[in-house]
Amino acid sequence: MKKIISITLCLIMTVCTLCGVSRADAFADENSDGDAIFFGHIITMDEENPTAEALAVRDGVIIFAGTMEEAAPFIGTNTKVYDYEDSFIYPGFLEAHTHGYLAGYRAIGQADLSPIFPTDYDEIRRVIKEFIKQNPDRDIYLAAGWVENEEYVSRDYLDEICSDKPLIMNTGGGHSCLLNTKALEWAGIDAAYAKEVGYEMVHVDEDGEPDGYICEMPAIEVVNKIPVTFEDAKTYLLNWQNYAFENGFTAVADAGADLAFADASKVYHELEEEGKLKLRTYSYLMVPDNAEDPSAEISRIVEDRAKYSDEYYHIIGVKVFLDGVTEAHTAWQTWDYADEPGYHGVERFNDHDKMVELITAADAEGLSVHVHSEGSGATHFMLNCIEDAEKITGDMDQRNVIAHLHFVDDEDIQRMVATGSIPAVAPLWTPKFAGEYENEVSFVGQEHADNSYPIKSFCDAGANIVFHSDYPITPEMNINRSIYMAELRAVPEEELGGLATQRNIKEAISREQALRAMTINVAYAWKQEDRIGSLEVGKLANMSVFDCDFLHDDAEKVSAATVIATVIDGEEVYNSGFSSSLLISAA
């Protein structure tokens, strides 16, 4: 295509020169020149004009979308032309639920255990020891990415690795962790504390002493206690931004930006003021479990919004944990756990009146509520609260987000649509993963395990589904694999297991539905559908370029697709090495 474009431009310039026509005369409007123009196979996600050959951009905004020939008037003396040839240009992909600070922290501030899957405790020991060896001056050591399995380990396991300093081994899900003896002492976790918060969240040995395994609120509080400098936090967020760009994302939701670093909003804001933040981040700030004064929490967040929100970092709502996770035995179900009759999980935020007050106060300030809801009980509770809040406010367009949705009762799928709530689903979690799946079956039973992670049911009901990875909780944030797993509910064929890992195939969705769930649907959830999510005139020129046609190529090719470039406001912020641009000159 590059050769064709060059010839076309030369002909235009030649005709103008031979006829004695100035460039201003040749192009009806001198101001029609674009700062940049993009060529390739363009998938716009605009229902009226689903494809294009060219996009023209001025001041970071799309001013033209159409054919190559129609684009000629938008090319001026200093217009930069990006020709991606046979690659495919999509609207900038959007991530509906991530944790930016944790992503950067895990990448460069901790021992990364996520590649060790299935769990291998000998290999975990080796990796942590190597990390300690490489970082001898640290006062506290943190490893993350561990996945629990049927082999229960206690503080003794970590004491064997490191006995003279605190060592914390966090799960990939972040809802539980293991502490060595020094870490328990440092964190102040003793028998009295375990009794106070409950033995479901702080496990104890036969003597009533904490055995090192903690989950939910205590686990999150421990990570928050680890000292980190402001400059380190900036480094972590910039590392995270680079990772997002390399994977084709142009905007993300930080679901609890202050979850692991209280001053995260200030860090984001300073990075934006320094001109370093280009990854648009739509932030939800944390509200504690059963907050004592929900309205005061909203007032606090509104103050932060006034101080820190700008173009690239914007606070749009609040984040609440309703329950835990299945692998930690803490997801809140409407039914009993198979291995523990009478127990249905941990109810973290379970005060109905307080949640209704929170939703109502948030809506009055134009904020939405984004909840972690793994189990069916948590989702049922939240929908009850949203229904009552909507009766008070009369606002049926709050766009509250219910994320994860591992288990959902059929009636609540319909209620999700009726309340205008946004289901945030995770296709990357849908296959049967060795170890995790067997653990899940032992907790919830075969039937529940095999009918988990609904997606198609939400689509069929008319819900505005959005995809999320929960990165770094999931050890990858991958667009093409999300499409693959949404369609096949299995890992790609080249990986161990392939289609043998397929689960609940009746909940598979189409490629187009998957693309919408990572573009325009997410923009709608953020109330940004007029600015991002599709490639249309008047919207921001944010694009993701891949070497694959996600709508028509073979599924295995989709799973192996490569990011060519990521474009923010009409400028490349990432390029894999593909030579895509040339500067047009009238000389």
Side-chain angles (χ1 to χ4, degrees):
M1 186 180 287
K2 184 175 292 183
K3 184 177 180 181
I4 295 173
I5 292 169
S6 298
I7 292 172
T8 302
L9 293 172
C10 287
L11 287 173
I12 291 172
M13 297 300 181
T14 300
V15 169
C16 291
T17 302
L18 292 176
C19 296
V21 180
S22 70
R23 190 173 64 84
D25 292 329
F27 302 137
D29 179 5
E30 176 72 15
N31 293 324
S32 68
D33 293 354
D35 298 329
I37 194 159
F38 295 81
F39 294 102
H41 300 293
I42 302 170
I43 310 298
T44 66
M45 301 309 295
D46 173 8
E47 292 183 358
E48 293 186 4
N49 300 289
T51 62
E53 296 176 332
L55 296 172
V57 175
R58 186 190 304 128
D59 297 329
V61 175
I62 298 170
I63 60 172
F64 164 81
T67 67
M68 187 189 308
E69 290 77 11
E70 292 170 333
F74 296 92
I75 302 174
T77 306
N78 296 309
T79 301
K80 194 170 186 179
V81 176
Y82 293 89
D83 176 15
Y84 292 112
E85 301 182 349
D86 290 327
S87 297
F88 289 79
I89 302 174
Y90 302 90
F93 283 100
L94 313 175
E95 232 291 354
H97 182 112
T98 61
H99 303 283
Y101 171 82
L102 280 176
Y105 190 11
R106 287 195 182 184
I108 58 180
Q110 310 173 25
D112 184 12
L113 307 179
S114 57
I116 307 172
F117 185 83
T119 299
D120 180 339
Y121 284 109
D122 289 336
E123 179 64 7
I124 287 174
R125 182 184 294 109
R126 185 195 67 77
V127 170
I128 295 176
K129 282 188 173 183
E130 182 63 25
F131 183 80
I132 292 173
K133 181 180 178 181
Q134 293 175 358
N135 298 274
D137 297 330
R138 296 199 178 197
D139 295 324
I140 299 172
Y141 293 107
L142 186 63
W146 164 50
V147 178
E148 302 116 319
N149 63 11
E150 67 279 0
E151 183 180 353
Y152 189 84
V153 290
S154 67
R155 64 183 181 180
D156 294 339
Y157 169 74
L158 293 186
D159 285 342
E160 293 175 3
I161 299 172
C162 178
S163 60
D164 61 333
K165 292 182 181 180
L167 170 60
I168 302 166
M169 185 168 75
N170 210 353
T171 55
H175 283 253
S176 51
C177 56
L178 187 67
L179 287 71
N180 70 353
T181 300
K182 284 289 186 181
L184 288 169
E185 293 172 356
W186 164 79
I189 297 175
D190 55 18
Y193 177 82
K195 185 176 181 180
E196 177 187 351
V197 302
Y199 298 134
E200 297 92 352
M201 290 191 281
V202 178
H203 291 203
V204 296
D205 60 22
E206 61 273 10
D207 298 321
E209 294 293 330
D211 69 3
Y213 183 83
I214 64 175
C215 55
E216 301 312 324
M217 179 268 293
I220 292 171
E221 287 185 348
V222 161
V223 175
N224 277 329
K225 288 180 179 179
I226 298 173
V228 175
T229 69
F230 207 72
E231 289 306 311
D232 280 345
K234 285 185 176 181
T235 301
Y236 298 153
L237 286 178
L238 290 175
N239 178 278
W240 151 239
Q241 175 175 262
N242 290 338
Y243 177 85
F245 290 158
E246 290 168 4
N247 283 273
F249 289 93
T250 59
V252 299
D254 196 326
D258 52 347
L259 172 65
F261 191 76
D263 288 330
S265 289
K266 186 177 180 181
V267 178
Y268 274 117
H269 181 65
E270 287 196 8
L271 287 173
E272 179 162 2
E273 286 191 321
E274 294 166 6
K276 296 176 181 177
L277 183 67
K278 295 298 180 183
L279 177 68
R280 281 184 172 80
T281 301
Y282 297 91
S283 172
Y284 301 89
L285 299 185
M286 289 302 304
V287 169
D289 299 354
N290 290 329
E292 183 176 345
D293 188 343
S295 295
E297 295 291 338
I298 296 302
S299 296
R300 170 182 61 83
I301 291 169
V302 168
E303 289 178 7
D304 281 353
R305 180 175 63 181
K307 286 190 293 187
Y308 301 126
S309 286
D310 210 324
E311 177 61 30
Y312 293 96
Y313 179 73
H314 196 69
I315 296 168
I316 63 170
V318 303
K319 165 71 183 297
V320 176
F321 283 102
L322 298 183
D323 65 345
V325 291
T326 302
E327 63 267 22
H329 214 245
T330 54
W332 173 7
Q333 308 294 0
T334 51
W335 28 264
D336 292 351
Y337 275 70
D339 64 332
E340 192 173 341
Y343 172 74
H344 59 263
V346 172
E347 302 177 14
R348 291 190 54 172
F349 198 127
N350 64 352
D351 188 309
H352 176 275
D353 292 345
K354 287 184 175 180
M355 179 58 78
V356 171
E357 181 183 348
L358 184 73
I359 298 169
T360 303
D363 183 60
E365 297 292 347
L367 300 170
S368 62
V369 178
H370 185 123
V371 298
H372 167 111
S373 184
E374 252 265 330
S376 57
T379 296
H380 191 77
F381 163 83
M382 186 62 186
L383 289 170
N384 287 343
C385 297
I386 292 173
E387 286 175 342
D388 286 349
E390 288 179 343
K391 291 174 185 175
I392 295 169
T393 65
D395 184 2
M396 302 298 291
D397 189 31
Q398 297 178 21
R399 307 188 198 184
N400 298 306
V401 180
I402 303 181
H404 307 328
L405 300 167
H406 195 159
F407 305 100
V408 187
D409 293 338
D410 290 342
E411 65 172 294
D412 288 333
I413 290 174
Q414 301 300 322
R415 294 171 71 209
M416 189 88 71
V417 178
T419 58
S421 302
I422 307 291
V425 297
L428 292 171
W429 298 357
T430 57
K432 297 177 182 176
F433 293 106
E436 285 185 353
Y437 172 73
E438 289 77 12
N439 202 37
E440 185 177 312
V441 169
S442 70
F443 286 167
V444 304
Q446 189 83 45
E447 183 177 357
H448 285 304
D450 287 347
N451 288 282
S452 60
Y453 295 120
I455 298 181
K456 185 176 186 294
S457 292
F458 286 120
C459 292
D460 290 349
N464 184 89
I465 67 160
V466 297
F467 282 2
H468 74 78
S469 67
D470 204 7
Y471 188 82
I473 307 310
T474 305
E476 65 177 348
M477 191 171 78
N478 191 292
I479 293 161
N480 41 294
R481 287 167 64 86
S482 293
I483 296 170
Y484 183 97
M485 293 185 186
E487 180 184 26
L488 294 177
R489 311 275 298 195
V491 300
E493 278 297 319
E494 71 269 13
E495 298 179 23
L496 185 64
L499 289 178
T501 64
Q502 196 169 69
R503 169 164 49 169
N504 201 7
I505 188 61
K506 69 179 183 298
E507 290 294 338
I509 61 172
S510 71
R511 307 265 189 94
E512 183 175 357
Q513 287 172 317
L515 284 178
R516 292 186 64 83
M518 291 185 286
T519 54
I520 192 64
N521 287 9
V522 187
Y524 175 85
W526 297 339
K527 300 180 181 179
Q528 297 290 312
E529 66 270 27
D530 292 336
R531 303 185 74 217
I532 56 177
S534 60
L535 297 175
E536 301 178 57
V537 172
K539 289 192 176 184
L540 294 174
N542 295 346
M543 306 168 222
S544 305
V545 186
F546 280 79
D547 64 351
C548 182
D549 180 353
F550 289 145
L551 289 173
H552 303 104
D553 280 343
D554 176 80
E556 300 306 321
K557 183 177 180 181
V558 168
S559 74
T562 299
V563 181
I564 299 298
T566 304
V567 176
I568 300 285
D569 301 341
E571 297 183 1
E572 282 189 358
V573 293
Y574 170 76
N575 187 299
S576 64
F578 182 85
S579 179
S580 61
S581 64
L582 63 153
L583 192 63
I584 300 302
S585 172

